Amino acid sequence: MGTRSLTHVYQGGKEVCCIYRQFDGYPSAHGKELIDFIRSGTFVNGIPVGSRKERFFNGAGCFAAALVSHLKGSEAGGIYLYPAGSKDCGEEFTYKVYCGDYDAPGIEKITCSGHRRFSGSAEEFKTFCEKDDE
């Protein structure tokens, strides 16, 4: 049996998407992968001309699409898109990623609920995930 999780991505208080993960949803796996992905790119309001070699997230929608692509890869199963607002799907952990509006790009806050709880900055979340012992 897998450790299921839901990841909700928000921008300006509105949910952009909900990602369901079938297994490895605990902080030291999914949480760490989530924070490593966040740190792999730069949030912007408009993609700079001539800079396509870097990873940019042009707002929460772009970030969410890139995150789904990263998590899903080319494998069947494992990662699914659920309707915004989904809950009570058998998840043991729920992650919420709050992105700033276009005029303030970036991650404002991340939360994790389950048998371990967290609410804070992306940098603090990295430390939280590294301390997880499942």
Side-chain angles (χ1 to χ4, degrees):
M1 181 137 169
T3 304
R4 295 166 177 81
S5 67
L6 292 175
T7 301
H8 304 270
V9 178
Y10 297 87
Q11 183 167 32
K14 293 183 180 179
E15 189 170 354
V16 173
C17 80
C18 177
I19 304 165
Y20 173 84
R21 186 171 191 149
Q22 184 77 31
F23 54 88
D24 293 341
Y26 43 88
S28 64
H30 182 68
K32 184 174 182 327
E33 188 172 3
L34 178 61
I35 195 62
D36 287 347
F37 184 76
I38 289 168
R39 297 179 77 193
S40 74
T42 303
F43 280 82
V44 296
N45 180 4
I47 301 168
V49 175
S51 55
R52 291 282 181 176
K53 292 184 180 182
E54 296 178 50
R55 175 178 280 160
F56 291 103
F57 306 124
N58 193 25
C62 180
F63 167 74
L67 178 61
V68 169
S69 176
H70 170 79
L71 295 172
K72 184 72 175 165
S74 61
E75 298 291 322
I79 300 294
Y80 302 87
L81 288 176
Y82 275 26
S86 291
K87 61 182 180 175
D88 301 326
C89 302
E91 71 276 9
E92 292 183 50
F93 291 95
T94 300
Y95 300 87
K96 295 182 179 181
V97 180
Y98 297 91
C99 301
D101 285 325
Y102 284 105
D103 60 344
I107 300 295
E108 292 180 344
K109 180 174 79 171
I110 299 174
T111 68
C112 175
S113 58
H115 69 270
R116 294 189 63 225
R117 294 184 177 276
F118 171 85
S119 180
S121 71
E123 194 57 41
E124 294 166 326
F125 185 67
K126 180 177 180 350
T127 302
F128 168 80
C129 293
E130 289 171 348
K131 291 181 179 180
D132 182 42
D133 62 354
E134 296 183 46

